[in-house]
Amino acid sequence: MKINYNPKLKELARKLRKTSTRSEIKLWQHLKRKKMMGYDFHRQKPIDSFIVDIFCNKLKLTIELDGYTHTFEEVSDKDNVKEETLRKLGITILRFCDEDVMKNTEGVLIMIRRFIEEIEEKQKIHTP
């Protein structure tokens, strides 16, 4: 399935990459340049009418990092719509809070690796 995006989000995605949170930057250091099991991840990727924090097209996997603002109900409603749209596109979502990334980076990376291994097993994807 081809994943389209709203071209108007391209510039916003660039701005978001330039103003990344500390947790996004920290996690990105472990995912960029195919460091995670050889998979190509992208930051602030426009998908449909949303921008996801981190995305791997081959795995159809997005990683969302939740900061303090995600504790408010209106943001949660927006996240629910985003998640439903992504799931309809066949994309799996992994969520981590900023604090976990900052204080337990290795634990977060282990969870991502395990999840990828499960996807590989289910889909018989071989690492690049």
Side-chain angles (χ1 to χ4, degrees), residues 15-124:
K15 287 179 185 178
L16 289 172
R17 282 191 290 271
K18 290 179 184 178
T19 60
S20 297
T21 65
R22 287 181 33 219
S23 63
E24 288 172 341
I25 293 167
K26 186 168 189 169
L27 184 57
W28 182 243
Q29 296 306 311
H30 299 276
L31 300 177
K32 67 182 181 178
R33 297 188 192 112
K34 299 185 180 184
K35 289 180 184 178
M36 177 57 73
M37 301 171 68
Y39 286 98
D40 190 21
F41 284 87
H42 299 270
R43 280 189 314 145
Q44 303 302 333
K45 181 76 173 167
I47 297 177
D48 195 66
S49 58
F50 301 98
I51 297 175
V52 300
D53 292 334
I54 298 172
F55 181 69
C56 176
N57 188 54
K58 184 162 187 158
L59 296 167
K60 297 292 185 261
L61 172 66
T62 185
I63 300 170
E64 291 290 298
L65 303 178
D66 297 335
Y68 173 75
T69 58
H70 282 82
T71 59
F72 299 108
E73 189 174 327
E74 63 191 57
V75 176
S76 295
D77 290 342
K78 184 179 177 186
D79 283 340
N80 289 337
V81 171
K82 181 178 182 179
E83 283 187 15
E84 185 167 332
T85 301
L86 294 174
R87 283 193 180 104
K88 285 179 181 175
L89 292 170
I91 297 169
T92 303
I93 302 124
L94 284 181
R95 283 194 172 280
F96 299 100
C97 68
D98 288 344
E99 188 174 349
D100 285 342
V101 173
M102 296 307 292
K103 293 183 178 179
N104 185 20
T105 308
E106 191 54 39
V108 168
L109 294 172
I110 288 169
M111 290 180 72
I112 294 169
R113 276 189 212 102
R114 285 184 183 160
F115 194 81
I116 292 172
E117 288 167 357
E118 287 177 22
I119 291 174
E120 287 178 336
E121 186 62 31
K122 285 179 187 174
Q123 300 176 357
K124 302 295 182 201

